[in-house]
Amino acid sequence: MGPFRTLYIDMNSFFASVEQQVDPSIRGRPVAITAMENEKGCCVAASYEAKAFGVGTGTSVVDARRMCPGIVFLPSRHRLYVRYNLQVAAVLDRFCELERIRSVDEFQVALSGEARALAGARALVASLKGAVAAEVGECLRFSAGIGPNHLLAKIAGKLEKPNGFQWLSADNMPDRISHLELDDLPGISKSMKARLLRAGVYDVGTLCRLDPRHARIIWRSVEGERFVRMLQGMNIEITPTKRSGYGNSKVLAPELRQPREAYLVSRWLIEKATSRLRRDGRVASSFSLHLSPMDAPRWARSIKTASTQDTAEFLRINRALWIRAWPYVRWKKLLGIGVHLGDVDMLENRIGDLLAPLAPAERSAGERASAAVDFINQRFGEGTVTYGINRPHPGFFERG
């Protein structure tokens, strides 16, 4: 049995558990985390006490209140959850080799020594559970899975919740996961499931036994071959991804759904996206605006530009796109908006411009001014300096 290479840790109802850890008065009670503080929103997370009543991610606030009388609704505090994520990561890294923080509630650990055998891995997981409870909080529990690669370890980690431990290897595959639906597997979307069904792959067992070369054809990508080979137990390293762009999107609060208010929110989103762009030393050469009216098709347009990290330049492009969109959206309420800076590259790779004039990798006056704004806001607080009028819409990711 084994050897096992990867331990995957999946925190149980993480957002709700953090809130219960912070506030002892709601421990043992059904709790739902919402993205918006009104009856129009939906749940983005739920405690196991709430899940027992059928409340889950995507359940509307109205339905959750009906399904689970006495449920406690709390607004999301993403920064709080990130702080707890880092505390858990610090504990894990002290006991073993923390390879990756896969998300705010998932961690990937490399196994070595005695932990590559089932008994040793089981003992390690028990130690980690005890340490997280003692050092981070007794409400913080996780399910763990081990496998010969990260994919099988992740699948194993979702087989027994909450607070479980499972393993997958050649000794119990594919029978151990034959009860799962194709789209229960990570990476299999509804559209990919439909493609697999058209190819005659109707269940997980058939997928596990598929010729990897056939999978490449079905996926129309080498990723299909990689996926099936990992299901069959091969250890394939995660391919590093290249950053394709910087974006922000927002489901608008009811009071900000008029186009004039939504336009001010878009300016705020651009300030945040361009600040991250500069932080990473990158430039972008395209800008996209997405507007989602209520009860009407989405409006979206993109514009190419010279590569830049100048916030003022992207604000000018945003204004131009809003002028084009105005006849379509002026009488509509907007449910959501999004901005995206695309075609990114490193500033150090930008060639010079004789007409500007700019030397290779040299910042323009506007880019230097933008960097100065970043410095002031970092030192004295976000929003100390803004690029004219905007409308902050913190919501999910800025609370805490």
Side-chain angles (χ1 to χ4, degrees), residues 3-14:
F4 298 103
R5 294 186 178 87
T6 302
L7 164 64
Y8 207 94
I9 289 174
D10 187 356
M11 303 302 295
N12 300 147
S13 294
F14 185 57

Side-chain angles (χ1 to χ4, degrees), residues 114-389:
E114 295 181 354
R116 296 192 69 179
L118 181 58
R122 192 187 302 276
L124 173 63
V125 169
S127 297
L128 294 175
K129 287 178 183 287
V132 169
E135 300 180 36
V136 184
E138 61 185 276
C139 294
L140 280 297
R141 299 182 297 172
F142 62 81
S143 295
I146 58 172
N149 56 53
H150 68 272
L151 176 63
L152 290 181
K154 180 172 184 174
I155 296 171
K158 297 182 181 298
L159 291 176
E160 183 183 346
K161 287 189 171 185
N163 207 31
F165 171 73
Q166 290 292 326
W167 56 276
L168 291 173
S169 77
D171 296 285
N172 64 357
M173 282 287 291
D175 294 343
R176 182 64 183 85
I177 62 172
S178 60
H179 64 286
L180 299 178
E181 296 293 330
L182 288 169
D183 51 359
D184 288 334
L185 300 181
I188 304 293
S189 63
K190 290 184 178 179
S191 60
M192 181 54 68
K193 179 181 179 179
R195 197 180 295 177
L196 287 165
L197 293 175
R198 289 195 296 270
V201 180
Y202 301 112
D203 54 60
V204 170
T206 304
L207 178 60
C208 291
R209 291 186 289 268
L210 194 66
D211 186 322
R213 294 168 297 181
H214 189 189
R216 181 193 286 245
I217 295 171
I218 296 172
W219 258 258
R220 302 168 192 162
S221 165
V222 69
E223 290 306 313
E225 181 175 344
R226 291 168 56 87
F227 187 88
V228 170
R229 289 192 185 280
M230 284 192 287
L231 281 180
Q232 295 172 352
M234 184 177 292
N235 186 35
I236 299 177
E237 294 296 325
I238 298 174
T239 304
T241 57
K242 181 181 179 181
R243 185 88 192 217
S244 60
Y246 291 76
N248 277 319
S249 61
K250 186 67 63 179
V251 175
L252 295 167
E255 66 273 17
L256 297 176
R257 290 177 179 173
Q258 294 296 335
R260 293 182 187 277
E261 297 295 322
Y263 168 67
L264 297 181
V265 175
S266 75
R267 292 177 58 88
W268 178 73
L269 293 176
I270 289 168
E271 290 192 28
K272 293 177 66 62
T274 52
S275 177
R276 301 201 324 268
L277 183 77
R278 288 188 295 274
R279 178 198 65 196
D280 293 346
R282 299 177 186 270
V283 292
S285 54
S286 69
F287 175 82
S288 302
L289 174 67
H290 307 268
L291 306 176
S292 301
M294 301 180 71
D295 304 317
R298 188 180 73 158
W299 186 95
R301 296 291 188 278
S302 297
I303 287 183
K304 291 282 189 180
T305 182
S307 60
T308 183
Q309 54 178 215
D310 183 357
T311 296
E313 178 62 23
F314 288 112
L315 288 172
R316 284 192 288 270
I317 297 173
N318 180 59
R319 178 178 174 81
L321 288 178
W322 270 94
I323 291 172
R324 290 169 60 180
W326 196 250
Y328 180 69
V329 303
R330 64 181 301 183
W331 305 116
K332 298 180 176 67
K333 287 188 176 182
L334 298 177
L335 180 63
I337 62 174
V339 301
H340 186 263
L341 314 179
D343 298 317
V344 300
D345 197 1
M346 301 302 296
L347 172 63
E348 63 190 27
N349 295 334
R350 187 172 67 183
I351 62 175
D353 186 339
L354 293 175
L355 299 179
L358 283 176
E362 180 186 5
R363 283 178 168 172
S364 67
E367 291 170 336
R368 293 196 298 273
S370 296
V373 169
D374 292 342
F375 175 80
I376 294 171
N377 287 335
Q378 288 168 7
R379 183 166 184 179
F380 297 103
E382 187 175 346
T384 301
V385 178
T386 65
Y387 297 77
I389 300 174

Side-chain angles (χ1 to χ4, degrees), residues 40-115:
K40 302 294 185 182
C42 64
C43 303
V44 297
S47 68
Y48 275 92
E49 295 86 355
K51 290 177 180 178
F53 288 86
V55 178
T57 302
T59 303
S60 70
V61 170
V62 173
D63 287 342
R65 198 183 299 279
R66 174 182 53 80
M67 297 160 64
C68 183
I71 189 170
V72 177
F73 292 103
L74 295 172
S76 296
R77 298 194 286 174
H78 197 74
R79 288 180 176 172
L80 173 66
Y81 310 146
V82 169
R83 289 200 296 272
Y84 270 80
N85 166 281
L86 295 176
Q87 291 179 49
V88 173
V91 172
L92 300 180
D93 200 42
R94 199 174 72 249
F95 280 77
C96 49
E97 182 186 349
L98 179 60
E99 280 190 305
R100 289 180 176 86
I101 300 177
R102 299 298 296 271
S103 69
V104 74
D105 61 350
E106 295 182 319
F107 305 86
Q108 180 178 320
V109 171
L111 297 176
S112 60
E114 295 181 354

